[in-house]
Amino acid sequence: MDVIKKVFSGKKMSVKILMSIFITAVAVVMVAATGVGVVQAANPSTRVIVAQGADATTLDPHMHRETTTSNVLSHIYDTLIMRGSDMSLQPLLAESWTYINDTTLEIHLKKGIRFHNGEELTAETVKYNFDRVTGKLPGARLTKVSYRYVNVKDSEVVDKYALRVHLFHPDSLFLGQLSELPIVPKEYTEKHGFEILDTRPVGTGPYKLKKWEHESQIVLTRNPDYFRGSAAIEEVVFRVLPDPMTRVAELMTGGVDIIVNLPPDSIPQVEMQSNLAVKTVPSARVAYVWFNMLETPQFADVRVRRALNYAVDVEAIIKYVYGGHGMRISTMAPPYFTGYDPKDPVYSYDPEKARALLREAGYGDGFTVTMLTTRGRFLNDILLAQTIASYLEEVGVHVNINAVEFGVFAKQTQERRIPEMMLAALGTSSFNVLDAMRTIVRSGDQAFSWYSNPKVDVLIDKAAKTIDEEEHEWLLQEALDILYEDPPFIYLFALEDIYGVNRRVDWQPRSDERIYLYDARILPQ
Amino acid sequence: MGRYLAQRVAHACLVVLGVSVLVFCISRLSGDPVSLMLPMDAPRSERIRIMHELGLDKPIYVQYLTYLKRLITGDLGQSIRYRQPVIELIAQNLPNTLQLAGISLTLAVGIGVPLGIWAGFKQDSLVDRGLMVITTAGQSVASFWLASLLILFLGVRWRLLPISGSGTLLHLIMPALTLALRPAIVFARLTRSSVREVLPQDFIQVARAKGLAQTQILGKHVLKNAAIPIVTVLGMELGVLLGGAVITEQIFGWPGIGTLSIQAIYTRDFPVIQAVTLLVSTMVVLANLLVDLVYLWLNPQVRLGGES
């Protein structure tokens, strides 16, 4: 007390005030200096930092379904087959594969590949992985990806580096699925239990886990013994930054090198900086407006559904709502999907024709419907809904928009309670339109489908079982032709993914939303 | 005194319980984690299986009773999203929020109180008037706006501070400033009012006449008078900040309870939502209880019904 009296006595009030504030600041500094850990700063020659909106939920590749988690895990684990930058299927852990009959796939592995702990990858390992995802391992919990492998009957080891996988039915999408099945080690998990993979992963991949600070960052470090050769970038960091504006700010100050979902409004800002680049890539996500055909009398009439397709100017929407960042497609297949046919007709913008069709169908006076849409789930979703609604208004169809938070949307759709129309985007990671059709077109209440056309169902079922590529494509195109004439949706466009990238990193984005840095490198300054 | 305490504690428990029930019901009515977890191509059977595994197919009151039973044994459950014990997640994130809250409040008191004293002594001067204008403007500022402004200038334009994340003192500055603004203003105005209230009183004139230094007057009388409202507000603000300043943590990528709870809400991670709510409501209630006790201690004239 005396010291304080001495220090403070005889001085002007303003000085005393400032001194108090200064003392507070010092106290704050001392307390704050007890912080733990340090967020990695971008180090030009060795480290690349990626900012995502969410943290990984686990490091066990069979126990999650999020892209944000896959992005991290695809560096630690490898799959048998991978998608190249053009999305075609290419060998990775598998050297070759062939169908020895319609339901049996024989896979030959590359020899001498080792996991991070030295364990060798053999056919036994791969069989173990199949057994795990098909629930055949006693005592193991069911994985989150198991529902995708219900068609796998079993697998048998043929020799040390070869195995056969037996399916219940022929499946044209099975090879694509293998590109999404990371391989985990057998001995390691048998010894420690599967739970260890949640936090202490061991894979064959180009990177190993260095540390994981939850909701903050995951740091990966290069695996020098990677079978395809050591990666060029020594350290990869995935930071968690939920706020898009913060991601942009960090990109601009060099705090991070790659950001996802760059808001189009920020594009000019980013492009203005000479050390930054905006990279776009057409994505596997396609937007549609669903017609609830099953419960809406107006949509039972195909003329009404065609009319509404003519009523919307999709090109204008892409240009003005999305700044050109979207790709108009005919029905459901962008050019990089199996099933795409460049000769497919596209609904033109023709409001006159729309009105004529509506009159013909007996709805010359129009009608009112509700459109369910997500809120902030994909870029400009609400704005898109409003724009579509205004086009429909012009032809007499009044649309009430019900924009809900994604949790509510997910619950409603999963419980199959949607109003007359719904706006959403469907991602198809297999890049095959069959997958999309099975999910949103094939009738039956398993899928996200409020449509029914028996002819299309037959074609879809047949294509699913047809392994011959040519015949498979032909069947898909037949189905798409029907879907053009008898549309389950207002066809819109394929979304584009927009990334902000620091030019010091030589990296290209992918259509499957994966951020994969094995092939990337840091350019010499 | 003892009865008062017992009453307050009982009341506190009721409040916490009420909040727990309310949040339990509301979160389940607005969605479920399974719908959010499943991609569009997942079959109906998968949804049914997972709902059952998580016990979400039972009636709400059954779910709540199960939750209570576990809670009594200290089991906060497992996060649906992370499949880790909730208590571990909270243990990881809580220290960060505590650090941020502590620093912000210290800043708020350290800046607000001296400024308030200054303005109070220099009654109606330029300093006083200036402070009033600034505080009024400051109270109207939204936290995310301030955060954006700080990031834009201190981070992007002038490259003085790191924009996001945690770890060093530098990372703390912007989020702490953002959070400290509003409480600092409250403290400044409170202190100013207290000072203005006390200064003209007779005993102050007497003290001055006796020749006591300004500092002594300040220490003995003014601050003691101001202490009561300041402590009250401090308690309330502490409760609020411990709730995990969600917006600020999101913007700065600060890995605290706020970030955890927002993620939990988006993904309907019920166990985490319940646990965080329990934690925050308990802390707020405790903070208020503590304030009441300190208040009693500071002002012995206040006792309850016939116990002096």
Side-chain angles (χ1 to χ4, degrees):
Chain A
M1 229 8 228
D2 276 0
V3 176
I4 298 178
K5 263 203 251 182
K6 254 209 175 132
V7 165
F8 275 82
S9 67
K11 304 218 173 45
K12 281 178 66 176
M13 171 132 296
S14 49
V15 175
K16 290 185 203 178
I17 298 298
L18 288 172
M19 279 170 63
S20 318
I21 296 180
F22 176 71
I23 289 173
T24 308
V26 170
V28 165
V29 169
M30 294 201 308
V31 174
T34 59
V36 287
V38 181
V39 172
Q40 309 291 339
N43 179 331
S45 58
T46 62
R47 184 182 298 135
V48 169
I49 304 180
V50 180
Q52 297 195 112
D55 197 9
T57 56
T58 174
L59 299 180
D60 180 339
H62 302 155
M63 293 304 289
H64 78 90
R65 281 179 279 242
E66 311 94 34
T67 309
T68 39
T69 310
S70 303
N71 280 338
V72 177
L73 297 185
S74 64
H75 294 84
I76 300 178
Y77 298 95
D78 289 316
T79 50
L80 294 169
I81 302 176
M82 70 175 207
R83 286 199 187 273
S85 46
D86 60 352
M87 300 296 114
S88 65
L89 294 176
Q90 288 169 18
L92 186 55
L93 292 176
E95 189 173 67
S96 64
W97 53 88
T98 180
Y99 274 105
I100 56 179
N101 63 48
D102 267 4
T103 55
T104 306
L105 182 71
E106 189 169 280
I107 302 171
H108 292 265
L109 300 172
K110 291 183 184 162
K111 301 178 176 54
I113 296 178
R114 293 195 175 271
F115 285 91
H116 300 149
N117 64 348
E119 191 185 317
E120 199 191 353
L121 171 82
T122 64
E124 285 288 346
T125 318
V126 179
K127 175 174 164 57
Y128 181 73
N129 275 265
F130 276 112
D131 285 347
R132 187 196 187 198
V133 298
T134 51
K136 292 195 181 60
L137 292 179
R141 62 189 169 188
L142 204 56
T143 69
K144 283 199 177 171
V145 297
S146 296
Y147 71 91
R148 287 195 203 140
Y149 299 97
V150 290
N151 190 30
V152 174
K153 193 155 75 175
D154 57 50
S155 52
E156 59 171 301
V157 171
V158 170
D159 68 44
K160 189 172 183 198
Y161 299 105
L163 91 158
R164 290 194 187 141
V165 182
H166 300 280
L167 307 174
F168 285 110
H169 326 285
D171 184 352
S172 52
L173 297 178
F174 184 61
L175 286 178
Q177 277 186 323
L178 291 183
S179 73
E180 293 181 66
L181 179 66
I183 301 297
V184 305
K186 176 172 191 249
E187 285 157 33
Y188 180 70
T189 43
E190 273 179 341
K191 184 169 170 197
H192 301 281
F194 279 110
E195 283 71 23
I196 200 169
L197 292 176
D198 280 333
T199 48
R200 308 231 294 274
V202 163
T204 54
Y207 288 88
K208 309 186 213 195
L209 175 74
K210 186 172 172 188
K211 68 174 160 179
W212 185 10
E213 287 161 13
H214 285 260
E215 297 301 333
S216 181
Q217 58 173 1
I218 294 184
V219 181
L220 303 176
T221 184
R222 175 166 64 190
N223 170 15
D225 306 314
Y226 185 52
F227 74 95
R228 285 197 288 160
S230 181
I233 297 170
E234 201 179 295
E235 220 173 64
V236 173
V237 179
F238 282 90
R239 285 195 56 198
V240 183
L241 289 179
D243 191 74
M245 184 217 58
T246 311
R247 291 199 291 267
V248 175
E250 284 282 23
L251 180 73
M252 290 176 65
T253 54
V256 307
D257 298 301
I258 299 176
I259 65 173
V260 301
N261 295 333
L262 179 67
D265 292 344
S266 305
I267 291 181
Q269 232 181 331
V270 171
E271 283 180 329
M272 237 170 40
Q273 261 186 241
S274 58
N275 67 329
L276 298 178
V278 173
K279 299 201 176 179
T280 63
V281 68
S283 82
R285 237 174 254 281
V286 180
Y288 306 95
V289 174
W290 270 249
F291 292 117
N292 185 346
M293 266 181 68
L294 304 178
E295 292 160 9
T296 316
Q298 292 92 337
F299 296 144
D301 190 327
V302 64
R303 289 170 294 190
V304 175
R305 288 181 274 120
R306 283 207 204 120
L308 299 195
N309 267 283
Y310 284 114
V312 179
D313 188 352
V314 182
E315 309 277 357
I317 288 178
I318 294 175
K319 189 167 176 194
Y320 296 110
V321 177
Y322 286 88
H325 294 289
M327 181 185 286
R328 178 77 167 117
I329 54 173
S330 156
T331 51
M332 298 177 68
Y336 40 92
F337 273 32
T338 308
Y340 169 71
D341 183 349
K343 293 189 264 58
D344 277 341
V346 177
Y347 276 99
S348 56
Y349 173 52
D350 195 339
E352 273 312 308
K353 194 161 184 181
R355 283 188 211 109
L357 279 168
L358 284 170
R359 273 195 299 271
E360 205 185 295
Y363 296 107
D365 293 334
F367 51 89
T368 301
V369 290
T370 302
M371 186 192 300
L372 178 71
T373 176
T374 53
R375 178 186 288 277
R377 175 71 178 168
F378 65 91
L379 185 62
N380 290 345
D381 45 8
I382 300 189
L383 193 53
L384 177 60
Q386 288 167 337
T387 315
I388 294 172
S390 64
Y391 278 114
L392 296 184
E393 189 76 49
E394 308 246 297
V395 300
V397 176
H398 181 73
V399 178
N400 292 316
I401 296 175
N402 183 15
V404 298
E405 185 255 342
F406 187 64
V408 176
F409 182 87
K411 186 175 165 79
Q412 266 192 261
T413 46
Q414 290 278 348
E415 291 176 359
R416 295 189 66 76
R417 288 181 291 116
I418 68 165
E420 294 86 7
M421 296 168 94
M422 171 173 84
L423 171 68
L426 172 72
T428 304
S429 56
S430 58
F431 291 86
N432 185 324
V433 77
L434 172 67
D435 216 350
M437 290 200 287
R438 277 208 297 210
T439 309
I440 62 177
V441 168
R442 175 112 187 33
S443 58
D445 73 353
Q446 288 287 3
F448 248 70
S449 161
W450 280 271
Y451 173 76
S452 179
N453 184 323
K455 279 196 251 168
V456 175
D457 289 349
V458 165
L459 286 166
I460 290 176
D461 291 345
K462 193 141 183 249
K465 299 199 163 101
T466 304
I467 309 186
D468 175 71
E469 283 175 23
E470 243 181 71
E471 207 196 323
H472 178 78
E473 282 229 33
W474 183 84
L475 287 166
L476 293 178
Q477 275 153 15
E478 285 292 299
L480 289 178
D481 287 341
I482 300 179
L483 290 174
Y484 175 79
E485 300 294 338
D486 183 24
F489 320 102
I490 299 180
Y491 294 112
L492 297 174
F493 52 89
L495 298 166
E496 237 180 57
D497 290 328
I498 308 174
Y499 295 82
V501 185
N502 191 314
R503 285 187 198 272
R504 67 182 263 266
V505 182
D506 181 17
W507 167 82
Q508 298 306 322
R510 296 166 54 105
S511 287
D512 58 1
E513 293 178 20
R514 295 288 181 87
I515 299 176
Y516 188 55
L517 288 161
Y518 172 65
D519 310 299
R521 55 196 185 98
I522 297 173
L523 296 170
Q525 298 296 301
Chain B
M1 184 62 190
R3 217 181 62 185
Y4 171 70
L5 205 60
Q7 253 180 353
R8 287 302 311 277
V9 169
H11 185 244
C13 289
L14 267 173
V15 169
V16 171
L17 187 71
V19 169
S20 155
V21 171
L22 205 63
V23 169
F24 197 91
C25 296
I26 290 178
S27 49
R28 276 159 184 72
L29 288 174
S30 76
D32 64 79
V34 184
S35 304
L36 282 160
M37 278 197 300
L38 290 177
M40 282 160 95
D41 63 343
R44 177 70 25 101
S45 51
E46 182 72 0
R47 177 181 161 79
I48 294 173
R49 180 185 76 81
I50 301 182
M51 289 286 271
H52 183 74
E53 197 178 278
L54 295 173
L56 295 176
D57 50 355
K58 303 205 173 56
I60 281 193
Y61 69 89
V62 171
Q63 291 185 45
Y64 190 73
L65 287 172
T66 314
Y67 163 71
L68 269 188
K69 260 199 295 197
R70 291 209 194 111
L71 190 62
I72 291 173
T73 61
D75 178 10
L76 285 175
Q78 204 191 43
S79 160
I80 293 173
R81 179 171 158 83
Y82 294 101
R83 284 170 315 105
Q84 261 184 281
V86 177
I87 197 114
E88 270 176 34
L89 290 171
I90 292 185
Q92 279 162 16
N93 288 43
L94 187 60
N96 295 323
T97 294
L98 287 176
Q99 190 185 37
L100 189 58
I103 301 298
S104 305
L105 274 183
T106 310
L107 270 177
V109 170
I111 296 177
V113 170
L115 282 177
I117 291 174
W118 197 9
F121 268 92
K122 299 278 188 250
Q123 205 157 346
D124 297 327
S125 69
L126 205 61
V127 166
D128 184 18
R129 296 247 162 85
L131 185 72
M132 291 313 289
V133 169
I134 292 174
T135 53
T136 310
Q139 268 179 321
S140 333
V141 165
S143 61
F144 61 84
W145 186 81
L146 177 64
S148 310
L149 220 62
L150 288 174
I151 288 179
L152 184 62
F153 285 103
L154 297 181
V156 180
R157 285 267 171 92
W158 300 327
R159 310 276 167 115
L160 286 175
L161 293 169
I163 288 165
S164 62
S166 67
T168 69
L169 164 68
L170 296 178
H171 287 100
L172 254 179
I173 295 180
M174 287 202 285
L177 280 177
T178 307
L179 282 179
L181 178 70
R182 207 186 27 83
I185 287 172
V186 174
F187 289 130
R189 294 181 82 142
L190 257 185
T191 314
R192 173 185 170 274
S193 306
S194 299
V195 169
R196 280 170 75 113
E197 208 177 85
V198 166
L199 272 184
Q201 284 180 23
D202 293 340
F203 68 94
I204 297 287
Q205 307 304 333
V206 168
R208 274 195 163 138
K210 279 210 250 170
L212 283 180
Q214 210 157 270
T215 330
Q216 284 171 309
I217 299 174
L218 191 72
K220 281 178 77 169
H221 302 291
V222 174
L223 279 184
K224 254 178 115 178
N225 188 50
I228 295 163
I230 287 179
V231 164
T232 310
V233 171
L234 193 63
M236 280 162 43
E237 289 294 338
L238 185 67
V240 167
L241 285 183
L242 287 176
V246 171
I247 294 174
T248 306
E249 284 190 13
Q250 278 265 101
I251 294 179
F252 290 105
W254 187 265
I257 294 288
T259 310
L260 187 66
S261 49
I262 264 278
Q263 269 302 319
I265 292 169
Y266 281 149
T267 55
R268 301 299 193 279
D269 196 345
F270 295 143
V272 177
I273 295 175
Q274 284 305 127
V276 171
T277 310
L278 186 69
L279 177 73
V280 172
S281 55
T282 305
M283 288 198 292
V284 170
V285 160
L286 272 180
N288 279 310
L289 189 60
L290 209 66
V291 164
D292 279 354
L293 294 178
V294 173
Y295 182 68
L296 273 176
W297 172 69
L298 280 177
N299 193 347
Q301 288 173 332
V302 180
R303 287 276 186 251
L304 288 150
E307 274 201 24
S308 322

